[in-house]
Amino acid sequence: MTADLNSFTFATIRPEEGIKTVLKKNSTDIIEMLKESRLKGRGGAGFPTALKWELAANAEREPKYVVCNADEGEPGTFKDRFILNHFPDLVIAGMTIGAMAIGSEKGVIYLRGEYSYLRNHLEYVLKTRRETGLLGENIFGRKGLNFDVEIRMGVGAYVCGEETCLIESLEGYRGEARNRPPFPVNAGFMGNSTIVNNVETFAWVTSIADKGVDWFKNIGTDKSSGLKLFSVSGDCEKPGIYEFPMGITIEELLKTVGAENTKAVQVGGASGCCIPAAEFNRTLAFEDCSTGGSIIVFGQHRDMLEVAENFLDFFAEESCGQCTPCREGNVKLLEGVKLLREGKCPMRYLQELCSLGETMQLASKCGLGQSSPNAFLSIVKNFKSEIMGRKSSNAIAG
Amino acid sequence: MIQRIFNKNKATASEAVETVQQVSKQQTETIHVTIDGKPIDVEPRTTILDAAKRLGIRIPTLCHHEDLCKAGVCRVCLVEIEGARTLEASCSYPITRPLTIHTHTRKVRKARRHIIDLMLSSHYGECYSCTRNNNCELQALAKEYGVDSFRFGHLEKPRYEIDSSSYSVVRDMNKCILCRRCVNTCSELQGVGVLGVANRGADTKITAFADKPLANVVCINCGQCINRCPTGALKSNDSTDEIWNAIDNPEKHVVIQTAPAPRASIAECFGMEPGTPLTFEMNSALRLCGFDKVFDTNFTADLTIIEEGTELLMRLYKALVEKDESAVLPQFTSCSPGWIKYIEHFYPEMLGHVSSAKSPQQMFGAVIKTFYAKKHNIDPKDIVTVALMPCTAKKFECNRPEMNDSGYKDVDYGVTTRELAQMIKESGIHLPDMQKSDFDNPFGSATGSGVIFAASGGVMEAALRTVIELVMGVKVENVFEHADILPVRGFKGIKMAELKIENVGPVPDILKMHFKNWDWLKGATLKVAIAHGTANAKLVLEDIKNGGEFSQCHFIEFMACPGGCLGGGGQPRPTNADIRKARAKAIYAEDTAYNVRKSHENPAVAELYTKFLTDGPCGKRSHKLLHTHYTSRGKFIP
Amino acid sequence: MFVTEQQNLINEISQLVKSHGTNRSALIPILSQIQKEYSYISEHAMLVVADMLEIPPVEVYGVASFYSFLDQKPKGKFIIRLCKTISCDMLGKDKVAGQLENELGIKFGETTKDGKFTLEWANCLGMCDKGPALLVNDQVFTSVTPEKVFDIVEGCRSMLNSNVLQ
């Protein structure tokens, strides 16, 4: 896959230097630094990191927690695995900075069960950091600065990538979304103030601390600053991990990965949108095609209905099953796709399903349900003539 | 979250009471919100639903229930908040800042309709053949939102087998809409935790541990889940067919005993306001249905007071005078079969506290098939005893193998208020139109003390009335105005009261075989407590285990159901605090209307002791017929 | 189950509880460990855990049945989880699946009679650029072809023979 590790910005970052810069700052200054950087969450939702940390820093419920969301389950995403494998120190340093910003002594990496082969390596990194005074008590030689990190394993549930589900899982419950408000920054793990950030977000925090705010904020667009890792898979010559500035067009990306003859691109994984060739001039940025980094390329020969079916099958299984729109809605959309494949879905019913999809976006309890119909809706919108008019199996048999 | 707090709760019962008080003190500043153009100021963290209610704006709900903590899963109660990206569930959205809210916009209506359509698409079963027909929250919502077709299809085959293993609760999960009210009722309100959610996604279901049938798990049969189920997914195990068979069989002498709680609630099944008593109309209706005799369970409620009260005095004597350490105190009441099954499963080591006196239902069964059979010269094998109860656990109780001290099954069938209302309707009777008539002899006359057994604190009040008069030798009315012992009344989850025995009177005849005098009680303070809802019972039991203040009590009344029997699992649906209050009001009004309001003054009870149980309360004969033993069940069921 | 086996299980679970604590948040780590040792979490194990953590058994069951990596039925020594999500699907997971079924003589969702292998579908394993991917217990295999299936299965068998797992 990706040719050279050294071509990544992360390879040039000195995590300890980053922390040392931060050591000179107080909580407000750290948050101010992030505010200026305009860093937004790299998990996909794009919530401003500084704002999240500020809310947590001002929250009362203690002890506070720093949680690293390493439950990378979005189909087509694998950049967090890459980062944890090659640059774990950046992530842990980022968590340490987070701890200093909000006033926490306890960090948790929630690592998805599918990545359990990374655990030993990460434990080793944590151990080394403890031994060298970068984790534990009085870190970096500063008295009273305590922070340690524990790894907790996921046990196979995509929905636990949603922050409140993740917290429920940490607490020993079914990974079901909580009612919000209150948000985790106020009442998270064990009811205490908690920040949950993506693996990559922490790594960029460390990078900003080391290389400076100006470097970061001058890359990308106004609303989407900095660099971003992309996980590219599907019908292309060079699948793998890529680093691009935020705001590049899909076209540029496709050119780099060797995907010239492309029918559509799924941006943002199963919960993202399917972008047809006509819209390849759109940008990969929070203000346009928002993504946690998943790019799945579909060649001309792909059946978009099969794509939709694969995604909906995924959601029908991975929905936590708590709220009606998500639990039942995904089943209905999946049935609808099957009807389309069999040529048994009249236009009126298809419209009904699209309307249902819109309700799911509005009415579901958490991000999973709210985004689960995206792929279906965009495929129906962009590939209507392809997905309709299939011959019914009866007709073939007859 | 309440459920969580409860599970993790190590606090004592008294701390729990304090916490509640503290919370109510806090609220100070209010927040201004606008709902559908109407302004209102609310306390922080009021839900949107509650704020709307105060403005008289109706928002439909399904998973939300007033007795339970926040739900937020069905999404029917969605509203639009200006500036918010998505719709929010009003039942679980706490107001923490000024908001402008719209409850019936196009988006909201469309979403609600979709959600109802989705629920209907996976709800198997048709309304005609459902016990909830015309009393179903899903059906009502479908009507409210103009559902005229199954837009997203309809299940053609059932997905789950119906679980009718339990004597008390039948679960038909094909009708379940996964609102989780039953789960929250079981774990949070009752602290039992038999029902839970399993699997995820499209396979999510409500189930018991490892999908076992209810009869094989630690279900206490309280039926509170039934009371809160919005659909026909939960119902009681109905024996009305067997009862009709007995009525229609000329060989059988079918008698029914009626507990006090149903008479304060059955009117609700006939469209009347909660709290409308139809006691005497019901008597006439039951005779029209074909019951040969209609008795008042209050008779054995009075008998229970005598037996349980004597037992308490004997335990006290053993402990205080004989210093016998085997005398287990506090003594626990035994009338609530849900409570009994709870302690058998969860605190079997504390069964020694439970009074050995049978519940009024079972005492009555035993008396009917012995004393009554003999008196009226009827062969007990031809007698069928039916018990009208507000309770589903009573169905399990009458089927306990040890409940056959008459030589026959003491009580043949239990029937709930809901089921009896159905039988009455089936007989072509509109209950409110009935003439009034009295109960049948020889047990006809009951007392006000028996009636109040239906409310939380009622057993305790009845017992105190009798203790005051029999031990202190004074009129209750001289101690408590109108003989209303208010400190033990009300809906507070756990209540405590003390009674100082300043002076003692002579030992009445009925107790002379056990006690020579009351001098040993002079100056003593009788401490009593009352808990209703098994979650509260659990708090009290834990407190006793830890040697807390409840371990200093002498007598504690426990009722499995919130509110006591009037909130029982066999009572009409819906249920909520206001409805239970209205029923309680009717109960206490009936008590006041009785000429005789103290158990020991019940002439039929006196007659029973002079003619039948001649060796007195807690004597040999009474022990054989009116007392029982319990089973240490534990939490592990193989 | 024999009494001694039950007692062993109880001893082992109390050890786990000792090291993870009785807080509810210890539940999933404890269940994962039981899963690892026994290839599934038996009813009895759930009851014991529930009792020690003071949680209703149905909640333990609810948690165990929620997560895909926790099983309530006995599974094989080797659980092979083949990714079925879109990228692996496009790279030919169906052929790999066919060969796995062929090689082991079972369908997906089943366990071989000798209790050695279980075949299961998995959702995205995060190996999308190198699909089709599969997990054998904790170990990941990428760019799997029908041809490689044989090597993977044989590798497992030889591990069993050399008692590595015991």
Side-chain angles (χ1 to χ4, degrees), chain A residues 1 73-78 81 112-117 152 155-157 159-160 169-175 190 232-234 239-240 296-298 302 307 310-311 313-314 317-318 320, chain C residues 23-29 31-32 55 59 61-70 81 84-87 89-91 93 121-130 135 137-140:
Chain A
M1 70 164 191
E74 190 62 55
T77 316
F78 42 95
R81 166 175 60 78
R112 70 186 304 224
E114 289 84 345
Y115 289 174
S116 54
Y117 50 85
R152 290 286 297 265
V155 269
V159 71
C160 289
S169 176
L170 278 180
E171 289 185 4
Y173 293 90
R174 297 161 55 82
M190 305 310 270
V232 182
S233 65
I296 305 169
V297 184
F298 302 119
R302 292 293 166 192
V307 172
N310 189 291
F311 286 151
D313 181 63
F314 174 84
E317 268 179 33
E318 295 291 349
C320 82
Chain C
N23 198 298
R24 171 85 190 230
S25 70
L27 177 61
I28 293 174
L31 293 180
S32 311
I55 309 170
E59 285 199 32
Y61 176 61
V63 168
S65 62
F66 183 88
Y67 295 99
S68 342
F69 286 9
L70 302 178
R81 295 189 168 94
K84 64 171 171 158
T85 309
I86 189 80
S87 299
D89 181 62
M90 295 197 291
L91 288 166
K93 66 109 179 38
W121 290 114
N123 283 324
C124 190
L125 297 176
M127 286 292 165
C128 323
D129 54 337
K130 291 183 284 189
L135 279 175
N137 297 345
D138 284 355
Q139 204 186 346
V140 67

Side-chain angles (χ1 to χ4, degrees), chain A residues 65 106 108 110 150-153 166-173 178 189-190, chain B residues 4 8, chain C residues 16-17 19-32 49 53 55 63 67:
Chain A
Y65 294 95
K106 179 98 189 103
V108 179
Y110 187 88
E150 179 195 349
I151 298 174
R152 290 286 297 265
M153 298 304 300
L166 187 155
I167 290 168
E168 285 287 293
S169 176
L170 278 180
E171 289 185 4
Y173 293 90
R178 289 181 177 177
F189 182 50
M190 305 310 270
Chain B
R4 302 294 164 71
K8 291 172 186 169
Chain C
L16 286 172
V17 170
S19 61
H20 289 94
T22 52
N23 198 298
R24 171 85 190 230
S25 70
L27 177 61
I28 293 174
I30 290 171
L31 293 180
S32 311
V49 172
L53 298 191
I55 309 170
V63 168
Y67 295 99

Side-chain angles (χ1 to χ4, degrees), chain A residues 156 168 173-174 176 179 181 316-319 321-324 327-328 331-332 352 355 358-359 362-363 370, chain B residues 4 71-75 78 85-87 92-93 110 114 121-122 151-152 178 180 197 199-202 204:
Chain A
E168 285 287 293
Y173 293 90
R174 297 161 55 82
E176 293 174 345
N179 291 317
E317 268 179 33
E318 295 291 349
S319 159
Q322 185 183 195
C323 77
T324 319
R327 179 187 65 240
E328 309 290 344
V331 172
K332 289 301 146 196
E352 198 69 79
S355 166
E358 286 161 17
T359 286
L362 287 173
Q370 288 160 10
Chain B
R4 302 294 164 71
V73 301
C74 78
R75 317 302 285 176
L78 291 166
R85 188 174 50 88
T86 55
L87 304 175
S92 53
Y93 195 98
K110 195 183 99 174
H114 270 136
S121 78
S122 58
R151 205 170 357 165
F152 298 115
L178 293 165
R180 304 187 179 200
V197 188
N199 302 340
R200 71 167 187 233
T204 308

Side-chain angles (χ1 to χ4, degrees), chain C residues 25-158:
Chain C
S25 70
L27 177 61
I28 293 174
I30 290 171
L31 293 180
S32 311
Q33 207 57 39
I34 297 171
Q35 169 81 36
K36 208 169 175 182
E37 305 246 330
Y38 295 86
S39 302
Y40 83 113
I41 304 160
S42 65
E43 265 179 31
H44 188 68
M46 288 192 274
L47 281 174
V48 173
V49 172
D51 195 44
M52 291 189 188
L53 298 191
E54 293 180 44
I55 309 170
V58 71
E59 285 199 32
V60 176
Y61 176 61
V63 168
S65 62
F66 183 88
Y67 295 99
S68 342
F69 286 9
L70 302 178
D71 296 300
Q72 293 89 63
K73 295 257 155 62
K75 290 285 156 89
K77 284 260 180 227
F78 294 99
I79 303 181
I80 301 179
R81 295 189 168 94
L82 176 64
C83 175
K84 64 171 171 158
T85 309
I86 189 80
S87 299
C88 288
D89 181 62
M90 295 197 291
L91 288 166
K93 66 109 179 38
D94 281 340
K95 289 199 96 174
V96 175
Q99 191 54 37
L100 277 167
E101 291 184 339
N102 222 342
E103 204 68 57
L104 297 172
I106 51 169
K107 299 271 168 214
F108 272 74
E110 294 177 353
T111 300
T112 52
K113 277 196 186 130
D114 59 9
K116 286 179 183 163
F117 293 95
T118 299
L119 269 186
E120 277 182 2
W121 290 114
N123 283 324
C124 190
L125 297 176
M127 286 292 165
C128 323
D129 54 337
K130 291 183 284 189
L134 59 81
L135 279 175
V136 180
N137 297 345
D138 284 355
Q139 204 186 346
V140 67
F141 292 86
T142 54
S143 306
V144 180
T145 57
E147 207 182 329
K148 278 194 194 164
V149 164
F150 176 74
D151 298 337
I152 293 169
V153 171
E154 277 305 294
C156 295
R157 287 198 173 118
S158 65

Side-chain angles (χ1 to χ4, degrees), chain B residues 463-633:
Chain B
L464 289 178
R465 285 179 189 171
T466 291
V467 165
I468 288 170
E469 300 215 337
L470 296 192
V471 174
M472 294 165 71
V474 291
K475 282 275 164 204
V476 186
E477 287 81 351
N478 297 340
V479 186
F480 294 97
E481 209 176 326
H482 305 301
D484 292 343
I485 307 181
L486 298 178
V488 300
R489 293 189 186 180
F491 285 90
K492 213 170 98 183
I494 299 169
K495 291 166 279 191
M496 223 177 182
E498 289 185 1
L499 178 71
K500 179 111 202 242
I501 304 176
E502 309 261 9
N503 286 301
V504 291
V507 176
D509 290 345
I510 193 170
L511 292 176
K512 275 192 175 141
M513 60 275 290
H514 296 300
F515 307 102
K516 289 194 179 68
N517 59 59
W518 297 130
D519 293 348
W520 51 282
L521 277 173
K522 198 171 170 180
T525 299
L526 186 67
K527 291 186 181 174
V528 301
I530 297 126
H532 59 111
T534 40
N536 291 317
K538 182 180 182 163
L539 292 175
V540 172
L541 293 178
E542 285 294 328
D543 182 85
I544 292 172
K545 264 172 91 173
N546 298 325
E549 55 178 329
F550 289 92
S551 66
Q552 302 302 310
C553 284
H554 302 106
F555 192 34
I556 306 183
E557 173 198 307
F558 288 101
M559 291 291 161
C561 295
C565 304
L566 51 85
Q571 292 281 64
R573 289 169 288 208
T575 184
N576 62 39
D578 289 338
I579 291 173
R580 292 191 293 270
K581 256 183 215 149
R583 291 174 189 164
K585 219 174 143 191
I587 292 288
Y588 285 113
E590 191 152 320
D591 166 38
T592 313
Y594 271 96
N595 292 327
V596 185
R597 293 180 59 206
K598 297 151 202 168
S599 297
H600 56 283
E601 291 178 352
N602 183 333
V605 169
E607 188 197 342
L608 192 74
Y609 282 113
T610 47
K611 290 194 178 151
F612 188 62
L613 303 171
T614 43
D615 52 356
C618 292
K620 264 196 182 148
R621 297 196 73 171
S622 108
H623 251 287
K624 179 169 180 334
L625 274 186
L626 306 184
H627 289 254
T628 185
H629 59 273
Y630 305 104
T631 311
S632 170
R633 294 177 198 269

